Structures are given as structure tokens and as C-alpha cells.
């Protein structure tokens, strides 16, 4: 039993190590991207203050552009889900209404059948019981 736990621990450690390596790689790429953009920004700032502001604006637009597109995509998906849920809610309401109507009709029919059986039973002659 100890061997199985050791194997599971090793697999978990390997998975954790792989995840950590992936996170470190992504962080490294982000750092490199930021350094590259900042170095360009610093060089241009020394050259011209207005150009630096324009570069800063372009960096902000590039960084925020993907986020804005993603937010708009998520908002569109949420609107579609909202519409689908509204349609499903209306469909369920129609189904419940139909079930209620059917149930009421069944109850009315059962009452009519019960009343008819009572009348039929009271009108039919009772058979005489024979004694042997």
C-alpha cells in the first residue's frame, strides 16, 4: 500500500512541476514583453516627449485591446445564454399550462364518469341473493 501512495505522490509531484514550469515560462514571456516595450518607450521618451506619450498610448491600446475584445465576446455569449434561458422559461410555462389544462380536463372527466356510475348503480335492480 505504501508503494501505491509513493507512485501517486510522484505523479502528483510531476504534474505540479509541469504546471509550475508552464507558469514560469508564461511569466518569463510576459516579463520579456514588458521589458521590450518599456525599453522602446524609454528610448523614445528621451528623444521626444510627445512621441513617448503616443507610444504609451499605443502600448496601452495593444495591452487593453485583447481584453476589450474578450470582454465583448463574453458579453455576447452571456446575452445569447440570457435569450436561451428566457425562451426555455417561456416554453416551460407553456408546458405547465398545458399540463394544468389536461389535469383539469381529466378531473372533470373522472367526475362525470363517477356521477354516471352512481346513477347507473342506483337505477339498476339489485339481484336477489339466493340461499341454498
Amino acid at each position: 500500500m505504501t508503494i501505491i501512495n509513493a507512485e501517486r505522490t510522484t505523479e502528483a509531484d510531476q504534474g505540479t512541476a509541469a504546471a509550475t514550469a508552464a507558469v514560469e515560462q508564461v511569466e518569463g514571456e510576459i516579463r520579456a514583453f514588458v521589458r521590450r516595450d518599456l525599453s522602446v518607450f524609454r528610448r523614445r521618451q528621451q528623444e521626444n516627449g510627445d512621441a513617448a506619450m503616443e507610444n504609451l498610448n499605443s502600448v496601452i491600446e495593444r495591452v487593453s485591446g485583447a481584453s476589450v475584445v474578450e470582454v465583448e465576446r463574453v458579453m455576447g455569449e452571456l446575452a445569447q445564454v440570457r435569450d436561451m434561458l428566457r425562451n426555455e422559461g417561456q416554453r416551460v410555462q407553456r408546458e405547465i399550462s398545458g399540463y394544468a389544462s389536461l389535469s383539469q380536463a381529466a378531473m372533470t372527466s373522472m367526475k362525470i364518469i363517477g356521477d354516471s356510475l352512481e346513477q347507473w348503480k342506483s337505477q339498476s335492480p339489485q339481484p336477489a341473493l339466493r340461499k341454498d
Side-chain angles (χ1 to χ4, degrees):
M1 185 148 214
T2 317
I3 295 171
I4 294 173
N5 288 336
E7 289 176 5
R8 288 183 183 168
T9 304
T10 303
E11 291 173 2
D13 290 343
Q14 290 173 350
T16 304
T20 304
V23 168
E24 288 175 0
Q25 180 184 4
V26 169
E27 287 177 352
E29 291 174 4
I30 291 172
R31 284 188 196 106
F33 175 75
V34 170
R35 285 182 189 140
R36 185 174 56 244
D37 282 347
L38 286 178
S39 65
V40 170
F41 174 70
R42 286 180 185 154
R43 271 187 254 131
R44 288 188 182 172
Q45 184 179 15
Q46 293 170 355
E47 295 170 3
N48 188 351
D50 291 334
M53 288 303 287
E54 290 177 17
N55 187 34
L56 177 62
N57 288 338
S58 68
V59 169
I60 291 172
E61 287 177 10
R62 280 189 291 166
V63 171
S64 66
S67 298
V68 169
V69 169
E70 183 68 17
V71 167
E72 287 176 353
R73 184 188 64 78
V74 170
M75 287 173 52
E77 288 178 5
L78 288 174
Q80 289 175 348
V81 170
R82 179 193 62 213
D83 293 340
M84 188 261 318
L85 287 174
R86 281 184 182 162
N87 292 336
E88 284 298 307
Q90 291 171 354
R91 183 189 64 80
V92 168
Q93 286 178 346
R94 287 190 305 269
E95 291 288 330
I96 289 172
S97 176
Y99 174 76
S101 298
L102 182 62
S103 178
Q104 184 66 35
M107 287 175 46
T108 303
S109 297
M110 292 303 292
K111 185 172 186 205
I112 291 171
I113 291 170
D115 291 345
S116 297
L117 285 174
E118 264 185 41
Q119 287 177 355
W120 178 68
K121 190 176 181 181
S122 66
Q123 290 176 357
S124 65
Q126 296 291 330
L129 295 174
R130 292 189 297 165
K131 292 185 180 180
D132 289 335

